[in-house]
Amino acid sequence: MTRSEFDDIRAHITAEARHTADLLEIANELLDDLEQARVREATMRSYYLSLLTAARATVAASNAGDPAPMTFLVHELARHGQLPANDSEALRILSDAQAAQALIPRVEDEPSARRPKPGSRARSCVGVSRTLPR
């Protein structure tokens, strides 16, 4: 569910009469979305753990003098269809990695004043011009 959809729901709850059936329908939709988000998070955590394990095994194999230390990482990337198909794609991937590395210090140095404090709600423009489907 997008941020805009959450804002629409908040506006609907605030502006409309609070009918039990409407609120129950909204609650059920939110629970469905939450369940889907948790499944996506678990999947992403699993992918991350597999990739981290392959990266650690690659470094360990290299440190141990293995003749083909990249085997673990190549296997994991191939399993997810993430190996570069050709030289131009490899160059694009290297360029993207360079750009990402250049952006990391900027993100880490961002003033904390811009980040919302834990437990606080971010302000947003919310209108009641849109209606929820019934």
Side-chain angles (χ1 to χ4, degrees), residues 31-51:
L31 287 172
D32 289 344
D33 288 347
L34 180 60
E35 183 177 14
Q36 289 173 8
R38 290 183 67 93
V39 168
R40 284 191 306 269
E41 179 188 10
T43 301
M44 293 303 295
R45 285 178 183 265
S46 172
Y47 289 165
Y48 172 78
L49 183 59
S50 295
L51 184 58

Side-chain angles (χ1 to χ4, degrees), residues 6-125:
F6 281 116
D7 288 343
D8 289 346
I9 290 169
R10 284 188 187 97
H12 176 74
I13 290 171
T14 302
E16 302 289 325
R18 296 182 182 185
H19 298 289
T20 306
D22 288 345
L23 293 177
L24 185 58
E25 182 180 341
I26 290 170
N28 283 326
E29 287 179 27
L30 289 174
L31 287 172
D32 289 344
D33 288 347
L34 180 60
E35 183 177 14
Q36 289 173 8
R38 290 183 67 93
V39 168
R40 284 191 306 269
E41 179 188 10
T43 301
M44 293 303 295
R45 285 178 183 265
S46 172
Y47 289 165
Y48 172 78
L49 183 59
S50 295
L51 184 58
L52 180 62
T53 301
R56 292 182 75 214
T58 297
V59 171
S62 177
N63 290 346
D66 189 295
M70 297 293 288
T71 302
F72 300 103
L73 195 53
V74 168
H75 171 76
E76 188 61 29
L77 291 174
R79 194 172 82 141
H80 295 287
Q82 295 297 315
L83 286 176
N86 52 47
D87 289 344
S88 65
E89 188 176 355
L91 290 174
R92 183 187 53 77
I93 291 169
L94 289 171
S95 176
D96 290 349
Q98 240 178 349
Q101 287 295 318
L103 291 174
I104 288 173
R106 291 189 179 133
V107 171
E108 291 173 349
D109 293 340
E110 184 177 303
S112 61
R114 289 186 178 179
R115 296 182 187 142
K117 295 177 183 173
S120 68
R121 288 182 51 185
R123 292 182 180 207
S124 61
C125 296

